[in-house]
């Protein structure tokens, strides 16, 4: 079945350093949608960015990700972490009916 | 814009009790979901529904029932609450046109 793997459960960074959160997926669907959702403390998850186009960079709020179907990856990156980026980040895969989430990566940015 | 309203916000139940969580959306979305959120385990799908009166089981459906009697509402029942069960249950709906899922604020369940 469809699945999403996020290898890092916890990531701690110093403000100003680059961010990279890993996401790989498995699906039988040839045209999957991939998403990154962000959940701040005491809030519900909200969409950060999404893509279904192979090898095309998508950007939002300083974050970017590129869907690579050849490696089944959709890693999230940011050039310089901010304190306000501290949150739980979920990678997700859609077969156009259901959204399958990874286990999440908790990002903590320290001064 | 629309909103997803989950009630109650906090739910305390006793072991073995049947508990119902409710969700309403005014987006007019066809598809709705119930996810369970546990620390370190991500968001796991319990049930989803692609239209009124439709129900589809997710990976975590055992121990739960669901009901979609109206397009705008989707309820989840914990059939027999397990002691020390603590989790947040998130209801969501799918905007098919923009390929985006919107979440409610969640119901936090504690079983004593």
């Amino acid at each position: 079945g469809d699945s999403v793997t996020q290898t890092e459960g916890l990531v701690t960074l110093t403000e100003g350093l680059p961010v990279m959160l890993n996401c790989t997926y498995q699906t039988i669907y040839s045209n999957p949608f991939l998403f990154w959702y962000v959940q701040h403390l005491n809030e519900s998850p909200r969409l950060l960015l999404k893509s279904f186009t192979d090898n095309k960079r998508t950007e939002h709020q300083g974050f970017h990700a590129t869907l690579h179907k050849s490696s089944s990856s959709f890693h999230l990156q940011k050039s310089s972490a901010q304190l306000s980026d501290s949150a739980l980040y979920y990678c997700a895969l859609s077969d156009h009916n259901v959204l399958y989430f990874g286990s999440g990566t908790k990002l903590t940015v320290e001064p | 814009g629309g909103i997803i309203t989950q009630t109650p916000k906090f739910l305390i139940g006793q072991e073995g009790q049947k508990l119902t969580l409710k969700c309403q959306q005014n987006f007019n979305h066809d598809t709705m979901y119930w996810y369970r959120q546990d620390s370190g385990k991500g968001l796991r799908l319990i049930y989803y529904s692609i239209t009124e009166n439709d129900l589809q089981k997710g990976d975590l459906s055992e121990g739960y029932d669901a009901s979609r009697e109206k397009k705008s509402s989707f309820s989840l029942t914990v059939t027999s609450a397990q002691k020390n069960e603590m989790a947040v249950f998130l209801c969501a709906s799918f905007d098919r046109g923009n390929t985006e899922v919107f979440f409610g604020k969640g119901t936090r369940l504690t079983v004593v």
Side-chain angles (χ1 to χ4, degrees):
Chain A
D2 295 335
S3 66
V4 176
T5 301
Q6 294 179 249
T7 51
E8 310 106 344
L10 294 168
V11 172
T12 303
L13 290 172
T14 302
E15 189 179 14
L17 290 181
V19 179
M20 179 156 169
L21 306 184
N22 290 318
C23 173
T24 56
Y25 64 90
Q26 282 188 308
T27 182
I28 60 172
Y29 191 61
S30 58
N31 293 304
F33 269 91
L34 271 295
F35 305 80
W36 278 99
Y37 273 77
V38 59
Q39 185 178 23
H40 287 95
L41 193 62
N42 297 323
E43 295 183 7
S44 50
R46 62 172 176 82
L47 180 66
L48 180 58
L49 45 79
K50 63 185 178 186
S51 179
F52 65 92
T53 306
D54 199 12
N55 297 318
K56 182 180 177 182
R57 174 170 160 147
T58 183
E59 298 188 36
H60 187 61
Q61 296 183 338
F63 287 89
H64 62 92
T66 303
L67 174 59
H68 291 296
K69 291 185 180 180
S70 60
S71 57
S72 299
S73 66
F74 191 57
H75 306 318
L76 182 68
Q77 298 182 69
K78 188 178 185 185
S79 58
S80 176
Q82 297 177 291
L83 296 176
S84 59
D85 294 331
S86 295
L88 189 52
Y89 290 81
Y90 287 107
C91 183
L93 163 74
S94 172
D95 66 358
H96 292 231
N97 269 322
V98 177
L99 210 59
Y100 298 96
F101 286 87
S103 55
T105 298
K106 183 178 180 182
L107 175 65
T108 302
V109 182
E110 297 177 334
Chain B
I3 190 169
I4 296 177
T5 303
Q6 291 188 238
T7 54
K9 193 171 180 179
F10 298 96
L11 182 56
I12 300 175
Q14 295 190 326
E15 187 180 15
Q17 193 176 1
K18 185 174 175 180
L19 302 167
T20 298
L21 291 68
K22 294 186 182 295
C23 176
Q24 296 268 347
Q25 54 103 354
N26 63 359
F27 287 104
N28 200 35
H29 293 159
D30 290 315
T31 303
M32 295 184 73
Y33 311 92
W34 275 106
Y35 286 94
R36 175 177 163 139
Q37 183 173 33
D38 296 275
S39 179
K41 295 183 181 176
L43 298 170
R44 293 181 289 171
L45 183 66
I46 306 172
Y47 267 96
Y48 69 101
S49 167
I50 61 174
T51 189
E52 185 178 322
N53 292 319
D54 174 73
L55 292 174
Q56 306 283 340
K57 291 183 178 182
D59 292 338
L60 208 64
S61 63
E62 189 172 336
Y64 302 94
D65 286 327
S67 174
R68 184 94 183 272
E69 293 175 1
K70 293 192 299 184
K71 186 175 181 179
S72 61
S73 66
F74 192 30
S75 61
L76 180 73
T77 298
V78 180
T79 56
S80 178
Q82 301 299 304
K83 194 170 183 183
N84 298 322
E85 181 172 7
M86 277 186 66
V88 175
F89 292 83
L90 289 167
C91 176
S93 69
F94 183 38
D95 178 352
R96 199 169 289 277
N98 289 314
T99 319
E100 182 172 349
V101 170
F102 293 89
F103 286 87
K105 292 186 181 298
T107 293
R108 185 175 295 274
L109 172 67
T110 303
V111 181
V112 296

